[in-house]
Every structure is written in C-alpha cells, then in structure tokens.
Amino acid sequence: MRWIIAAMLALAAGGPALADEPPAYRITLGERSGCATPHVEGRARTDDGTIDVTTDDPDTMVVHMTGTTAAMRLLGCTSMASERFQLVQDFEVRCSDPDVREVVLTLESAVVGYVSTARKAGARMKLADATVTPAGWDATSLSIAHAPIEAVGGQARQCNLHQAVTGPPTPLGRYTLVANFVLDATTDGGFHNSRAVADFSPDAELPAAWVAIKDPFQGASKEGFGFFVTITAEAPSDLAVQPSDPSIPPPIVIPSPFPPPLPPSPAVAPSPFGEAPSGAG
C-alpha cells in the first residue's frame, strides 16, 4: 500500500491544472521611410527633430516623434518655423501557432507637450495622425487623428491627449503604418515683442533669449513629451485562453489496489453429439 499512498500525496501536492498557452504573436519590422523636414523664415528655429521606432516587446511596436518650433519678432518681417514628420513603416505579424490565421491589432496614440505665445503670435500642433493598412488592402483597418492644439495672442496650452482603437480580426502577414506629425510657430513683423513656441520634445532647450519671462510653463518637467504611436498584436477573443481558477484544486485520481478484472471466458458451443452417458468410458 505504500506506493498507493505515495501516489496520492504526489497528486495532492500538485498545483492547479495548467491552462493551454495562448498563441504568441511577434511583430517584425520591415522597410522604413522616416523624415523630419524643418522650415524657418526670419528669426525662427526648430530643435530636436527625431523619429524613433522600437520593438522592446515581441508583440508591440512603439513610435516616438519629438520636436520643437519657435519664432520671435523680427522688425518688418514675419518669422515662422515649422517641422513636418512622416513615417512609413512596414511590419509583419506572425504567430507561434501554425493553425492561427488571424490577429487583432490595437492602435494607441498620445500627444504630450505645450503651445505658448506672447502678443501677436501663434503656435500649434497642426497634425498628429496614424493609420494601419494590411498589405494588398485598399482601405485602412485602423486609424487615429488627434484634434489640433493652438494658442494665439498671448494664450498658452499644455496638453496630454490619448486615443486607442482596436480593430477586427485581420489576416496574419504584412502591414504598413503611416504616421504624420506637424508643428509650427509664427510671429508678426510689428513693433511688439511677440514670440511663439510649440514644444513637444523632452530634450530640447531653448536659449534664454527665446524664453519669455512670463512663460507659464517655464521650468516645467517635459518628461514624456512627444507624439507616441503604439501597435499591439493579440489573439482574437475566440482564441484567448481563460486561466484556470487557482482556488479549485485538480481532481485526485486514486489508483486501484486491485488488478483489472480478467475478460470473460469465451462461450463454449454445445457438442453436436450430446452429453456422454454417465459411467461411459
């Protein structure tokens, strides 16, 4: 009986039954075209135009765009600074389960920064949008567009915008992300000491002469500034595996101490000669 008790203890010591592992997805980056295009007129500048694409997690791609535009009064001339970012990023989604043919993509985006003006000037985040299109499709499967952010005539606004959208199941394979981001700042050419700044960079630092004494965001933390786009690959809901309840122990199977029963003996056909008479032989 010792082996029976040992088997029962081993089964009782086991944890809850493990659920099947859900399918794992991987995003692989393909060809990329990324450009930051600055333009300045008069007394104006652009700083820190960057586009960064990372895949720190296998099923997630993150895009981070940062930049700053600033303009100051130049007597008799309009000063203007603009910076336009565009990223076209191809990527492929694969699955660890060869029987899985579809994936659900989530497109998430955030815009963090500020626009600030003094006197006759204007600053704005003009455009921040992103689309995802499967290869060979005529229409996009996911899209996000943030509303413009603007400040004029001494106004200032600091913003932290966020949107997220999850698409329907789409085929595994190749996709294309297109993301656009546009900043600009403008001042008139009059006698006023006007200035404008659109700052969406955690690293850019304007020279002291470009920072207004009454700037409401002077010295504020710029951690997390920029335009973010995140794509995450997940299993369709009908493939998602629900975890088992750890509070319910697995059933304990107790081995029988008795050998399995023998199969029944085959039936014996009656003799065609009848029974032998008693005493015969």
Side-chain angles (χ1 to χ4, degrees), residues 72-110:
M72 292 184 67
R73 175 189 65 87
L74 181 63
L75 186 61
C77 299
T78 297
S79 297
M80 187 268 289
S82 68
E83 194 157 23
R84 177 180 293 273
F85 303 80
Q86 184 179 66
L87 171 70
V88 180
Q89 175 70 65
D90 293 339
F91 64 96
E92 185 174 5
V93 183
R94 300 176 181 175
C95 183
S96 60
D97 188 339
D99 295 328
V100 174
R101 296 289 183 266
E102 292 184 319
V103 63
V104 170
L105 296 180
T106 296
L107 177 62
E108 188 174 3
S109 177

Side-chain angles (χ1 to χ4, degrees), residues 159-254:
C159 63
N160 188 332
L161 310 180
H162 176 266
Q163 293 188 45
V165 59
T166 299
T170 49
L172 294 175
R174 294 183 294 112
Y175 290 78
T176 299
L177 165 69
V178 178
N180 299 285
F181 188 41
V182 180
L183 306 173
D184 61 37
T186 306
T187 62
D188 71 353
F191 293 95
H192 302 286
N193 186 20
S194 56
R195 59 176 291 280
V197 176
D199 192 352
F200 290 80
S201 168
D203 302 318
E205 295 184 5
L206 294 174
W210 292 71
V211 179
I213 296 176
K214 296 183 179 180
D215 189 336
F217 307 123
Q218 187 174 359
S221 172
K222 301 200 301 177
E223 183 179 357
F225 271 27
F227 175 42
F228 297 85
V229 177
T230 303
I231 297 175
T232 305
E234 299 176 313
S237 58
D238 58 344
L239 293 179
V241 177
Q242 299 297 326
S244 58
D245 188 348
S247 64
I248 302 176
I252 299 177
V253 179
I254 302 176

Side-chain angles (χ1 to χ4, degrees), residues 138-159:
D138 295 329
T140 61
S141 61
L142 292 171
S143 64
I144 278 180
H146 294 277
I149 304 165
E150 183 177 277
V152 296
Q155 296 175 335
R157 295 180 63 190
Q158 189 169 18
C159 63

